[in-house]
Amino acid sequence: MGHHTCCNQQKVKRGLWSPEEDEKLIRYITAHGYGCWSEVPDKAGLQRCGKSCRLRWINYLRPDIRRGRFTQEEEKLIISLHEVVGNRWAQIASHLPGRTDNEIKNYWNSWIKKKIRKPSRMQHNLSTTAFHGGYTFSTAPDMTTEQYPFHYELLNYNPNPNNPSPFENFVGTKPLPTLDTDDHHQEVPSLHPSFFMFDTSSVISQDSTATTTQLLHIPSSASNSDLAWCFVDHQAVAVGGHVEMGLSTDINFMLPALVDDGDPHHLLELTYNDQCLEKQHDLQQQGYQSTNSNNNDELLSWDESQQCPNFLFWDNAVDGSAEDEIAPFSSLVGTGTSPYPPSLLP
DNA sequence: AAGCTCCGCAACCGCCCCGGG
DNA sequence: GCCCGGGGCGGTTGCGGAGCT
């Protein structure tokens, strides 16, 4: 492997910079500036190539550099900008004063690695809950504004006899709580069952299904580190290691209502309205917006390489980090025996 | 305590662009 | 128009510390 032309000299030193070298570089740049980087090593008395000096100054030594952990605001900004510009780290860095492209790139790479590694612990569970075929929903005609009873069915569902449906327990009629029309902060239940997924890596207590509104049913087989596939009528949150239901406004741990229609380029978004409309989105062309009105914490993007959406969600995870994860939606829905793209397997 | 693995991050590498000769 | 060197940038490597067995 050849070196850059400016680094061909035998005497050029590589590797970590010593404090003495840093001091020499700082002293020189402070006094003279850096008009031509190729001249800096000689004039500063450094046995480094100009490029190395430039990198050291820009990424580490310059006085306006900001070090330390990224704040949540910075992290969100990075995610948003990455959505728009991709791996153009310098462009992203230009929006974060004091941060370098290198730092952001490193942060993103380690962050992403962390995100795509975590789904592997779900793989085993998914292999037992993978399903095939499409499904649709219907709402009951006797729905009232007072009670919102609903009925939902799974249609066109073709379970493999050897691979029992994780949804069987959820087919039926469930009452919904009465709305308090004076409470404007109360969440309005959807008029259809929504398809939610929970990372139940926190301990699931079967007792939790008996609390609150009893609308959330967790499969009896669900266990620690399991991925529960739940049909619920409206908001649900994972609280304190339990999965509970309620009219909570905390949606950090809730995934949007989405249905995989079998076409890897589409998802069906179940929207809030009395016709129970299903709005189909072409993710590849338009990108995707969460069904949640508060979608600050959720983001979907089209992953060109995997040909599926990336799915970002909050995780009340085993390590208690409550950090967000990213995973391809197809890997979560699972349409085959191995829903994970090979590149994501450990 | 020693060995091993994992991970963060500084630094390097190679490619591309641009400007001057 | 071509060549060459410098600067900028994204991808990648590998060192070293932390944590685990």
Side-chain angles (χ1 to χ4, degrees), chain A residues 176-342:
Chain A
L176 285 169
T178 304
L179 275 179
D180 179 1
T181 52
D182 291 327
D183 183 359
H184 299 298
H185 297 294
Q186 194 174 17
E187 293 285 337
V188 178
S190 67
L191 304 181
H192 56 78
S194 301
F195 179 46
F196 290 98
M197 294 174 293
F198 287 91
D199 179 353
T200 60
S201 52
S202 303
V203 175
I204 287 181
S205 163
Q206 289 297 313
D207 292 338
S208 66
T209 63
T211 63
T212 64
T213 58
Q214 298 199 12
L215 290 168
L216 176 60
H217 288 243
I218 299 169
S220 56
S221 59
S223 60
N224 195 17
S225 295
D226 210 341
L227 183 74
W229 300 73
C230 304
F231 286 99
V232 297
D233 60 300
H234 56 293
Q235 303 283 359
V237 291
V239 179
H242 302 279
V243 177
E244 295 182 353
M245 274 300 303
L247 298 173
S248 171
T249 56
D250 182 357
I251 60 170
N252 277 354
F253 307 113
M254 190 190 73
L255 308 184
L258 297 169
V259 173
D260 183 1
D261 66 352
D263 180 342
H265 295 89
H266 297 85
L267 291 177
L268 298 181
E269 175 187 358
L270 301 181
T271 57
Y272 287 87
N273 75 34
D274 56 3
Q275 298 298 314
C276 194
L277 292 177
E278 294 175 359
K279 186 180 178 183
Q280 190 165 348
H281 288 261
D282 187 326
L283 290 168
Q284 195 166 26
Q285 288 183 357
Q286 303 176 22
Y288 179 79
Q289 294 298 315
S290 166
T291 53
N292 292 318
S293 56
N294 176 7
N295 60 4
N296 292 334
D297 297 325
E298 291 167 337
L299 192 66
L300 281 173
S301 63
W302 184 258
D303 185 333
E304 198 60 48
S305 62
Q306 302 295 337
Q307 287 294 295
C308 68
N310 279 322
F311 193 60
L312 179 66
F313 60 95
W314 289 88
D315 171 38
N316 192 19
V318 277
D319 58 2
S321 61
E323 288 182 331
D324 37 20
E325 293 186 344
I326 192 164
F329 185 81
S330 64
S331 72
L332 295 171
V333 171
T335 54
T337 52
S338 179
Y340 281 80

Side-chain angles (χ1 to χ4, degrees), chain A residues 68-196:
Chain A
R69 270 185 72 89
F70 283 86
T71 65
Q72 270 200 344
E73 288 69 31
E74 285 178 315
E75 186 175 301
K76 285 183 178 179
L77 185 56
I78 291 170
I79 292 168
S80 305
L81 291 167
H82 190 269
E83 275 297 298
V84 179
V85 303
N87 290 2
R88 292 183 180 148
W89 308 116
Q91 211 169 323
I92 294 173
S94 69
H95 292 84
L96 288 100
R99 299 294 190 181
T100 69
D101 55 348
N102 206 40
E103 197 179 10
I104 294 169
K105 177 174 57 183
N106 283 335
Y107 178 70
W108 182 268
N109 285 337
S110 58
W111 185 76
I112 272 294
K113 268 187 231 160
K114 199 165 62 179
K115 306 309 164 192
I116 65 175
R117 191 165 39 247
K118 278 191 177 180
S120 63
R121 71 181 150 80
M122 294 188 273
Q123 188 191 3
H124 168 74
N125 304 305
L126 275 172
S127 66
T128 63
T129 56
F131 62 93
H132 302 265
Y135 41 85
T136 57
F137 300 98
S138 66
T139 52
D142 59 343
M143 195 180 294
T144 72
T145 54
E146 295 292 321
Q147 195 72 30
Y148 297 97
F150 69 85
H151 175 78
Y152 57 84
E153 297 173 338
L154 287 171
L155 305 174
N156 305 323
Y157 180 61
N158 243 340
N160 179 341
N162 297 321
N163 190 13
S165 163
F167 305 131
E168 278 171 0
N169 294 337
F170 307 131
V171 178
T173 302
K174 311 288 181 195
L176 285 169
T178 304
L179 275 179
D180 179 1
T181 52
D182 291 327
D183 183 359
H184 299 298
H185 297 294
Q186 194 174 17
E187 293 285 337
V188 178
S190 67
L191 304 181
H192 56 78
S194 301
F195 179 46
F196 290 98

